[in-house]
Amino acid sequence: MLLGRVAVAVGLLALSACSLSPSSSKTSPRPTAQPIVTASATASPTAGASDSPSSSPPGTPGGAGLVRCDAAIPAGDNLVIGRVGEDSTIVVRDIQDPANAKTLCRFDSGAQSPQFVTATQVAYATASRQLIKADIAAGTTAVLATVGDGFGSGQLSFSPDGKSYTYLDGNAWHLVTPSSGNRVLTTLPPVPARGLNPDEDDVFLSYSPDGLYIALVQTVHTGGTGQTAPVQVRKASDGALVYSTSGMTMGVWASVPSRLFFRDLAGTVHRWDSSTGASTMLPLHWIRPKASPDGRWIAYTFRTSNVDGVGYYSVQGNAVSNTSPPARSSPRFLTNDLIWYIGEKPCDTCFGGLPTPTGLTYIYSIAGASEVVSRLSGLLDVWPRTGGPPAGVG
């Protein structure tokens, strides 16, 4: 494994909700080394949950409407948010019939890190750091929050029914529900001024697929324990802390009932579930893991000496396989069987000798062990929900 290779700036590494993940970029080269520039947090100094709601869902009506639709979204269809071909426009695309995929909606260039809330609702960030929810069917928008600067600030995840959400504002972790409004669950330690390693550092914030829990697995707000620990699982109903630890990264929800998987910095995968607590699984140095909709598989990137690869972890079997071609990275499930990822090639002249994208992306079938070239040049989110937040936003 190639560890400790790259340090990147907040604006370059795709862990903030106001920047795009590696799998959402237009297969651009990897970032060059730069230091972090931290900013002061705007959050409340309390480390516990606030009982005084400051607002209530679905937010304040208004905000920039930055999505335009040419057609209604068919009920029950498989949808993606991404880019097609050489066009830099981010679109909502219906891929129910992959051979006849159709673009339904287009985002304006000011919409950052768009994601699905429901099949007919999307959310995105703006340059003014507002988090906006747009109802495509109703043609309305609402401001969910305005967040401050800071690494990971603006990270956003919605409950499976779209009625509640959680987000980071500077060092503060918020939970917003219809019953309790907007509560600060905790204030995390400030981010120290240091470099970041994209193979190790991550900020993952997500509801569990069953909607019962929310998890934060991150490596930038460090030094806390318990209510301020870098890894936490809380009840989605009231934000109560049920598990915390440290020294972990690269989290993903999977399985039914929901189980949280993450790995330690040495490269061993661990699992938490509500019945048995934390347990150790197997040695596996995965990067940016993503779960299949049915929770049976977790796809991930792994590093080799000259190019990346895509691996598959069987949740039920606690085993790994690697049947896709080499020189691939940044996988994301489209369906239980189909996976989208980026093509790569070796690059001796690139920073640190890292591989570089080829400009091609692919769709791989697990069942058929076959691969075809994809028209999607970038992928940010998939609907129905596939067990986690947008790529690298978690």
Side-chain angles (χ1 to χ4, degrees):
M1 305 299 176
L2 303 181
L3 306 180
R5 300 183 299 181
V6 183
V8 290
V10 172
L12 293 178
L13 185 62
L15 303 181
S16 168
C18 293
S19 61
L20 299 180
S21 68
S23 61
S24 69
S25 66
K26 198 176 179 183
T27 59
S28 57
R30 296 172 184 270
T32 56
Q34 295 188 31
I36 287 180
V37 179
T38 59
S40 59
T42 59
S44 163
T46 179
S50 169
D51 294 325
S52 301
S54 59
S55 64
S56 60
T60 304
L66 301 178
V67 59
R68 310 282 186 270
C69 295
D70 302 320
I73 295 178
D77 278 11
N78 194 18
L79 309 170
V80 298
I81 296 176
R83 297 185 178 92
V84 180
E86 296 298 319
D87 194 338
S88 62
T89 304
I90 300 175
V91 301
V92 176
R93 196 162 170 84
D94 188 329
I95 61 167
Q96 185 69 18
D97 179 2
N100 297 284
K102 301 176 182 178
T103 294
L104 304 177
C105 309
R106 292 172 173 80
F107 290 89
D108 293 350
S109 59
Q112 302 172 2
S113 299
Q115 63 173 288
F116 288 107
V117 179
T118 66
T120 58
Q121 295 178 336
V122 296
Y124 48 84
T126 69
S128 59
R129 305 196 67 81
Q130 286 187 327
L131 305 180
I132 305 293
K133 183 175 74 171
D135 190 313
I136 295 172
T140 60
T141 57
V143 179
L144 301 174
T146 300
V147 299
D149 292 331
F151 196 83
S153 187
Q155 199 92 333
L156 174 67
S157 178
F158 289 88
S159 60
D161 62 8
K163 295 180 179 180
S164 301
Y165 57 97
T166 184
Y167 68 96
L168 298 181
D169 178 7
N171 299 333
W173 180 7
H174 290 248
L175 175 63
V176 188
T177 67
S179 60
S180 301
N182 192 330
R183 306 174 62 207
V184 175
L185 295 176
T186 187
T187 299
L188 302 165
V191 179
R194 66 174 178 88
L196 290 179
N197 183 344
D199 290 3
E200 304 299 328
D201 287 305
D202 193 26
V203 179
F204 171 84
L205 177 65
S206 178
Y207 278 82
S208 61
D210 57 18
L212 298 178
Y213 299 95
I214 49 177
L216 177 65
V217 182
Q218 53 85 32
T219 59
V220 293
H221 297 273
T222 57
T225 59
Q227 297 283 340
T228 62
V231 177
Q232 300 183 35
V233 179
R234 292 175 177 265
K235 291 183 179 179
S237 58
D238 59 7
L241 181 68
V242 296
Y243 174 73
S244 66
T245 189
S246 60
M248 302 294 174
T249 188
M250 303 295 171
V252 62
W253 288 103
S255 185
V256 178
S258 298
R259 294 181 172 90
L260 180 67
F261 292 80
F262 42 81
R263 69 164 171 84
D264 58 38
L265 300 181
T268 296
V269 169
H270 302 258
R271 186 189 73 190
W272 174 90
D273 69 51
S274 59
S275 299
T276 60
S279 55
T280 300
M281 306 309 289
L282 79 173
L284 179 58
H285 200 276
W286 67 27
I287 301 169
R288 311 283 178 253
K290 304 298 175 187
S292 60
D294 60 11
R296 296 179 59 195
W297 293 97
I298 296 174
Y300 57 90
T301 298
F302 64 89
R303 304 294 191 214
T304 65
S305 59
N306 57 356
V307 292
D308 295 332
V310 169
Y312 307 99
Y313 172 78
S314 169
V315 172
Q316 294 174 321
N318 189 33
V320 299
S321 62
N322 176 31
T323 55
S324 62
R328 306 290 188 260
S329 70
S330 306
R332 187 65 185 262
F333 280 90
L334 299 175
T335 67
N336 289 327
D337 177 58
L338 300 179
I339 300 169
W340 178 96
Y341 47 57
I342 291 171
E344 292 186 338
K345 62 183 178 181
C347 181
D348 294 335
T349 61
C350 295
F351 179 84
L354 295 175
T356 186
T358 61
L360 293 176
T361 59
Y362 302 90
I363 295 176
Y364 178 81
S365 168
I366 295 178
S370 59
E371 176 187 85
V372 296
V373 174
S374 172
R375 291 195 63 202
L376 286 170
S377 54
L379 181 61
L380 284 81
D381 202 9
V382 177
W383 188 268
R385 183 65 61 199
T386 58
V393 172

